[in-house]
């Protein structure tokens, strides 16, 4: 049995009554925009209800503080940052709608991720490498609450891991800028100053993300249950399933249904409401 916390927008009494019926427990209002339910089982109906209303939710099995964890693992695109880098690169090639449609389907789990990535990258062939810098400078923005969450993680002594089905060009720059400890991403092939439309080496997919988290935990001598994991797409689910607490950040429904918590209105630092520093 868990403690369920729901928050994000003002909750009318009628909404609370509806949510109480779904949760099978009486709501305890903790503020005009928050409530909690004690001794409940996880419910997909509750998760769907919160998603539809853009409310944040968390199922907490026992109170833990941030310092009790050892690793904070994050996806990059649409999680740590507010864009999908490949979609923005594609905009410079005039193919953003085509690439974005494949990105969405892949994140919903409807397409094999490695195949989908290769299809999208192929559409970027011939773009000058300078486009990557323009995307970083002009379009890449951190998600709300990112810096606050990372500052709290550093203060609590956690190792930070950024894993991405995107590209090393961006993870490397973010690691340097934000002081991240570990990264994993795909490497774009560049020849003569232009993208070739190919990715070098193995694709970073769901399995690779999970294996990287496990490897970081092994190096620290801790179980993966001592990790926190945040993601938004189907290719984050294996990594999130290893973690002791997983957060679906403005995520696809398939991800929210399997996560410990979902952030639909707050920033990344909403995690600190549930697991304080």
């Amino acid at each position: 049995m868990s403690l369920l916390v729901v928050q994000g927008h003002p909750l009318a009494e009628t909404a609370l009554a509806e949510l109480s019926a779904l949760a099978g427990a009486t709501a305890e209002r903790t503020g005009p925009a928050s409530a909690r339910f004690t001794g409940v089982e996880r419910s997909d109906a509750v998760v769907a209800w919160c998603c539809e209303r853009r409310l944040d939710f968390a199922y907490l099995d026992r109170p833990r503080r941030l310092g009790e964890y050892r690793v904070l693992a994050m996806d990059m695109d649409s999680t740590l940052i507010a864009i999908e880098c490949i979609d923005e690169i594609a905009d410079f090639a005039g193919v953003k709608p085509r690439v974005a449609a494949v990105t969405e389907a892949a994140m919903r789990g409807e397409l094999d991720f490695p195949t989908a990535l290769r299809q999208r990258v192929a559409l970027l062939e011939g773009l000058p490498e300078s486009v990557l810098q323009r995307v970083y400078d002009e379009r890449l923005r951190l998600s709300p609450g990112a810096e606050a969450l990372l500052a709290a993680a550093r203060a609590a002594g956690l190792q930070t891991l950024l894993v991405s089905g995107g590209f090393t060009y961006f993870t490397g720059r973010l690691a340097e800028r934000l002081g991240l400890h570990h990264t994993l991403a795909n490497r774009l092939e560049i020849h003569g100053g232009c993208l070739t439309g190919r990715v070098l080496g193995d694709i970073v997919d769901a399995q690779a993300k999970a294996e990287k988290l496990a490897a970081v935990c092994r190096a620290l001598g801790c179980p993966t249950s001592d990790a926190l994991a945040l993601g938004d797409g189907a290719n984050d689910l294996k990594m999130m399933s290893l973690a002791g607490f997983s957060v679906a950040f403005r995520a696809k429904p398939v991800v929210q249904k399997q996560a410990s918590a979902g952030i639909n209105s707050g920033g990344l630092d909403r995690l600190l409401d549930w697991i304080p520093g």
Side-chain angles (χ1 to χ4, degrees):
M1 305 295 277
S2 302
L3 170 69
L4 167 64
V5 178
V6 175
Q7 60 200 115
H9 301 301
L11 294 165
E13 291 301 323
T14 53
L16 275 186
E18 186 177 348
L19 184 54
S20 294
L22 290 175
T26 302
E28 177 187 348
R29 187 182 284 279
T30 53
S34 60
R36 65 183 182 182
F37 303 81
T38 304
V40 298
E41 296 284 355
R42 184 180 176 81
S43 164
D44 285 350
V46 168
V47 171
W49 191 92
C50 291
C51 292
E52 289 169 7
R53 291 157 181 79
R54 294 190 56 78
L55 290 164
D56 303 335
F57 68 90
Y59 283 92
L60 304 167
D61 293 328
R62 69 177 182 87
R64 291 186 72 175
R65 300 194 69 84
L66 194 59
E68 295 179 54
Y69 290 90
R70 301 289 304 281
V71 178
L72 173 65
M74 301 160 288
D75 173 50
M76 181 176 69
D77 295 285
S78 297
T79 302
L80 180 62
I81 63 175
I83 65 168
E84 291 284 337
C85 289
I86 194 168
D87 294 358
E88 300 307 316
I89 298 168
D91 197 24
F92 287 92
V95 293
K96 183 175 181 177
R98 292 170 62 187
V99 169
V102 177
T103 299
E104 277 292 304
M107 292 302 98
R108 290 192 299 266
E110 297 169 2
L111 295 175
D112 169 71
F113 184 83
T115 300
L117 182 66
R118 290 189 178 97
Q119 288 176 352
R120 288 176 288 164
V121 171
L123 295 171
L124 308 179
E125 182 180 1
L127 274 180
E129 182 182 7
S130 59
V131 163
L132 303 179
Q133 189 65 47
R134 289 192 63 186
V135 170
Y136 184 83
D137 291 339
E138 299 173 16
R139 304 193 179 185
L140 188 148
R141 299 291 181 271
L142 297 178
S143 292
E147 290 177 294
L149 175 59
L150 288 170
R154 281 194 298 272
L158 276 69
Q159 292 272 299
T160 48
L161 166 63
L162 182 62
V163 287
S164 177
F167 309 117
T168 56
Y169 187 94
F170 302 101
T171 57
R173 283 159 176 76
L174 286 167
E176 183 176 355
R177 170 181 168 185
L178 300 172
L180 307 177
H181 296 99
H182 312 276
T183 64
L184 178 69
N186 297 299
R187 186 179 169 199
L188 288 167
E189 184 180 65
I190 297 170
H191 183 72
C194 292
L195 277 64
T196 66
R198 294 186 292 271
V199 177
L200 296 170
D202 295 333
I203 299 294
V204 176
D205 59 4
Q207 186 63 33
K209 289 185 176 189
E211 290 175 357
K212 182 64 174 179
L213 173 58
V216 169
C217 288
R218 281 197 303 273
L220 292 172
C222 69
T224 59
S225 58
D226 283 346
L228 299 160
L230 297 90
D232 76 301
N235 66 327
D236 297 315
L237 284 172
K238 287 187 177 181
M239 172 183 75
M240 292 168 66
S241 71
L242 293 179
F245 191 82
S246 60
V247 179
F249 182 70
R250 303 183 185 181
K252 309 300 179 283
V254 67
V255 183
Q256 301 217 28
K257 287 179 181 179
Q258 298 182 50
S260 309
I263 298 175
N264 295 298
S265 65
L268 288 171
D269 55 343
R270 175 71 81 192
L271 172 61
L272 301 176
D273 288 351
W274 306 322
I275 303 176

